[in-house]
Amino acid sequence: MANKLQYETSPYLLQHANNPVEWYPWGPEALKKAKQEDKPILLSVGYSACHWCHVMEHESFENGDIAALMNSSFVNIKVDREERPDIDSIYMQAVQALTGHGGWPMTVFLTPDGKPFYGGTYYPPEDRRGMPGFPRVLAAMAEAYSNRKTEVANATSGLLEHLENMAQIRSHEEMPYGELINSAFSQLKEGFDSMDGGFGAAPKFPQPMIYDFLLHNHHSTKDKLALHMVEFSLDKMANGGIYDHLGGGFHRYSTDGSWLVPHFEKMLYDNALLASIYINAFQATRKSRYKKVSEETIDYILREMTTNEGGFCSSQDADSENVEGKFFVWTKHEIENALADQNFKLFNEYFNVTATGNFEGNNILNITTNSKELAKSFHLTEQEFDSQIEHSKNTLLNLRNLRIAPDRDDKILTAWNGLTLKAIAQASSVFERDDYLAAAINNAHFIVNNLIINNRLCRTYKDGKAKLNGYLEDYAFLADGLLALYEATFDRLWFDQSKKLVDIMIDLFWDTKVGLFYDTSRDHESLIIRPRDFFDNATPSGSSIAVEVLIKMSRLTSQNRYLTIAENALSSVHQIMARYPNGMGRWLSSLDLYQNPSKDIVIIGDPTDPDTKALLKVIHNSYIPNKIIAGCNDDPENSINNIPLLDYRTKIGGKPTVYVCENNVCKLPVTDSASLFQQIKYL
């Protein structure tokens, strides 16, 4: 018999709807039941693409005996962390305080009023390799709550104090900007993996926000090491097994230090952020490989992760046919059967395919050889080599598409769609891709029309239903994506919508006393604390992107209130940026945007006009990290309201015209590409 999760829309929750566990979604019904029956709460948090979440479900939540223990002693609540990042954040901090680590599935035991007293992550169904079996944990927690109330109360009190302290910001004396940046860069250099790229050891995560800061830093200082750290890491990732060489896009992270064996799930946010950093790297270096990786990643999103309505889906599972990675790996025999003799020899050499494989007897495709040298050894020109490899990849991709594909979590999350909207809008401009622009516009219309209800953003959408209060990251990420779309189209609709969201965001989330944003709105459900997670983790923090958007909006509108809020937020986390740069990558880029001279570029002309396009190409071919672009077509009267940056800007001689200003000093307007290039090449 189905449990209470049958009424939910989250694919992750629905996966558990037929468990013998009497699951409840987080909400008043479950919390009331726990208080009335004086039962502790067993909170289980995970997400659809999580491999070990599926393992624990199969081992424990589908086990009738274990389910009976859960049902008799606990009120069981299942949460999709992607829908409820507030609950996930609060209780993950508790688990990390208790155990020193965290992850998913997350298992937390709470008092009926929601206070944590014990927790962990995955538990096996029986004692195994030093880990206590889940039944033993259940029995111990039930006994503790029933018979040792004082110990439980002491545990909850200590944890609650820890969580409240984590949500506070302590003011420190600010260090000079240059000193802070140097300190952050020095620490990043120490943690850089000079052998395999990236930072730290296994498991290794992409961390695109750090590379974004390093590109900023290189642009400002011309430090060659900063650029090397970016290029070396991006090259290693693009060559490794973490990248899907056939279908495009990146898996979530690498289980080893050399980017070879991934955790095979694909997350929308990873691919949006990585597409953006490869675009930026292409602008900074003009390396065609970065353009190719970015386009293949976006093509993957549009092909496999986009709904008919234009929304972008959350994730793709790691497993197919209950085997992790089965969809993505190959035997040498399969490849030889699929490709002609000459093709498979070249393909196998290029992608390091062997009879023994590199992953459980199979091959994860990865590049370990130089393409130019390999082409010479096969007596091929570079063009012939590329053509043959692409032909083989397409053949194998078509063959792979006949396999049973991993499940897709097709709920639409506003924040992650905002990240993706920005990447695709940016790519449409840099790569002159009208199809990308159409997809971005379609997505923006979908989000605005379906996830804004009564001037409030909703968090999630599925099966025609939008629900849950939007979080800070939903407002900030979408506002940023809409600004990028405005820059790509000059359509005032997207600027106006972005500004509207920013104003609502300030009203709902800004904390004047502390000088930083909360993650939940002022009228959000009351939880044990009001969360404020300001670190950039797998995604940027809502606060760091909010600050970036506020700085951009202040320059577009000349409204100082936006800049004042951004300044206060930057001041609040100033010392934290210097101490923990690995967790503050996007903050550091926002600080660079604030601190360095502003670069404002205004284009007057129809963006579809070939002459305007020629000017835009010059702009987008250049890496100018702190630029703000404002534009309008031939009818500026309908475009300048609320955008003072456009005031008094007109065409010169009837031609599309560009106005470039740096640090409040304007250059002469130009109408030709050569003159424009001379003006922006030193920005």
Side-chain angles (χ1 to χ4, degrees), residues 59-134:
E59 291 179 339
S60 294
F61 304 150
E62 293 176 353
N63 182 304
D65 293 336
I66 293 177
L69 289 173
M70 296 171 67
N71 296 337
S72 64
S73 299
F74 303 92
V75 173
N76 303 292
I77 297 179
K78 174 63 73 172
V79 165
D80 181 341
R81 67 172 295 265
E82 295 169 356
E83 285 193 334
R84 294 300 303 262
D86 52 339
I87 293 171
D88 179 63
S89 174
I90 290 170
Y91 294 109
M92 182 60 74
Q93 288 180 22
V95 168
Q96 289 171 335
L98 284 163
T99 68
H101 64 274
W104 301 275
M106 177 169 64
T107 309
V108 198
F109 296 90
L110 320 176
T111 62
D113 55 359
K115 297 176 182 177
F117 62 91
Y118 188 76
T121 53
Y122 163 80
Y123 291 104
E126 67 280 321
D127 294 356
R128 184 188 299 164
R129 294 193 299 274
M131 297 176 65
F134 196 40

Side-chain angles (χ1 to χ4, degrees), residues 315-377:
S315 63
Q316 189 178 42
D317 210 331
D319 301 1
S320 56
E321 302 180 74
N322 295 318
V323 178
E324 184 179 11
K326 183 175 181 179
F327 182 75
F328 298 101
V329 298
W330 297 84
T331 66
K332 183 180 180 183
H333 181 68
E334 286 175 317
I335 293 174
E336 291 178 354
N337 281 346
L339 303 179
D341 182 67
Q342 177 71 5
N343 284 8
F344 84 67
K345 289 181 180 178
L346 178 66
F347 186 91
N348 287 354
E349 186 77 17
Y350 187 51
F351 287 107
N352 194 30
V353 175
T354 65
T356 55
N358 52 29
F359 177 71
E360 299 176 356
N362 294 292
N363 289 276
I364 300 170
L365 302 182
N366 69 113
I367 300 171
T368 59
T369 187
N370 182 281
S371 60
K372 292 182 179 179
E373 293 177 1
L374 187 60
K376 287 181 180 179
S377 70

Side-chain angles (χ1 to χ4, degrees), residues 118 208 223 664:
Y118 188 76
D223 190 314
N664 303 317

Side-chain angles (χ1 to χ4, degrees), residues 100-303:
H101 64 274
W104 301 275
M106 177 169 64
T107 309
V108 198
F109 296 90
L110 320 176
T111 62
D113 55 359
K115 297 176 182 177
F117 62 91
Y118 188 76
T121 53
Y122 163 80
Y123 291 104
E126 67 280 321
D127 294 356
R128 184 188 299 164
R129 294 193 299 274
M131 297 176 65
F134 196 40
R136 186 149 69 92
V137 174
L138 293 171
M141 292 305 103
E143 187 276 331
Y145 184 77
S146 296
N147 302 324
R148 290 182 280 144
K149 286 285 204 309
T150 301
E151 291 180 33
V152 169
N154 290 337
T156 61
S157 176
L159 276 173
L160 193 59
E161 182 180 358
H162 171 78
L163 296 176
E164 288 171 343
N165 288 335
M166 289 288 290
Q168 300 303 314
I169 298 289
R170 291 170 175 79
S171 298
H172 298 275
E173 182 179 350
E174 294 186 11
M175 65 172 63
Y177 167 76
E179 185 179 334
L180 187 155
I181 295 299
N182 289 338
S183 172
F185 184 48
S186 294
Q187 291 182 63
L188 291 174
K189 284 191 293 186
E190 290 178 8
F192 180 66
D193 183 347
S194 60
M195 292 293 294
D196 293 303
F199 297 87
K204 189 174 284 184
F205 291 80
Q207 299 183 286
M209 287 159 284
I210 294 178
Y211 306 136
D212 185 62
F213 162 65
L214 291 172
L215 279 181
H216 276 250
N217 185 256
H218 168 70
H219 188 267
S220 300
T221 66
K222 309 307 178 190
D223 190 314
K224 293 181 179 179
L225 178 58
L227 182 60
H228 167 74
M229 291 163 69
V230 175
E231 290 190 79
F232 190 67
S233 299
L234 295 188
D235 290 342
K236 287 288 188 177
M237 285 193 294
N239 288 341
I242 193 174
Y243 185 64
D244 181 355
H245 293 274
L246 298 185
F250 289 84
H251 301 292
R252 183 163 170 254
Y253 65 88
S254 177
T255 61
D256 57 85
S258 58
W259 308 108
L260 174 60
V261 180
H263 230 336
F264 285 92
E265 65 262 36
K266 288 182 177 179
M267 311 302 296
L268 180 65
Y269 61 78
D270 280 326
N271 285 288
L273 292 166
L274 286 163
S276 286
I277 193 62
Y278 277 91
I279 293 169
N280 294 341
F282 169 72
Q283 290 177 303
T285 67
R286 307 307 297 171
K287 283 189 174 182
S288 60
R289 179 75 190 284
Y290 299 153
K291 176 178 184 287
K292 180 179 176 61
V293 170
S294 182
E295 286 185 312
E296 288 180 345
T297 300
I298 292 172
D299 289 345
Y300 155 72
I301 292 172
L302 297 181
R303 183 182 66 248

Side-chain angles (χ1 to χ4, degrees), residues 342-490:
Q342 177 71 5
N343 284 8
F344 84 67
K345 289 181 180 178
L346 178 66
F347 186 91
N348 287 354
E349 186 77 17
Y350 187 51
F351 287 107
N352 194 30
V353 175
T354 65
T356 55
N358 52 29
F359 177 71
E360 299 176 356
N362 294 292
N363 289 276
I364 300 170
L365 302 182
N366 69 113
I367 300 171
T368 59
T369 187
N370 182 281
S371 60
K372 292 182 179 179
E373 293 177 1
L374 187 60
K376 287 181 180 179
S377 70
F378 275 79
H379 308 292
L380 298 171
T381 66
E382 289 184 34
Q383 185 176 7
E384 290 170 336
F385 174 87
D386 291 341
S387 176
Q388 194 164 313
I389 289 293
E390 288 303 310
H391 177 77
S392 297
K393 285 170 58 176
N394 288 332
T395 299
L396 292 176
L397 178 62
N398 291 332
L399 188 61
R400 192 178 81 176
N401 287 339
L402 300 177
R403 298 175 176 176
I404 297 174
D407 288 338
R408 185 181 74 170
D409 184 334
D410 58 355
K411 69 177 179 290
I412 311 301
L413 295 173
T414 301
W416 299 3
N417 272 247
L419 293 175
T420 311
L421 171 62
K422 180 176 182 178
I424 297 177
Q426 183 184 9
S428 74
S429 298
V430 175
F431 304 144
E432 300 181 275
R433 292 285 298 264
D434 291 340
D435 55 336
Y436 287 176
L437 185 59
I441 292 171
N442 192 35
N443 177 254
H445 278 300
F446 167 76
I447 296 294
V448 168
N449 293 336
N450 291 281
L451 282 129
I452 298 178
I453 299 175
N454 296 326
N455 288 324
R456 294 289 294 271
L457 262 182
C458 293
R459 169 67 173 179
T460 183
Y461 174 96
K462 189 176 182 297
D463 298 334
K465 182 179 179 181
K467 66 176 189 178
L468 302 178
N469 287 340
Y471 298 92
L472 172 65
E473 67 176 17
D474 294 303
Y475 283 84
F477 294 5
L478 181 57
D480 196 31
L482 291 170
L483 272 186
L485 187 57
Y486 163 68
E487 290 188 352
T489 62
F490 302 165

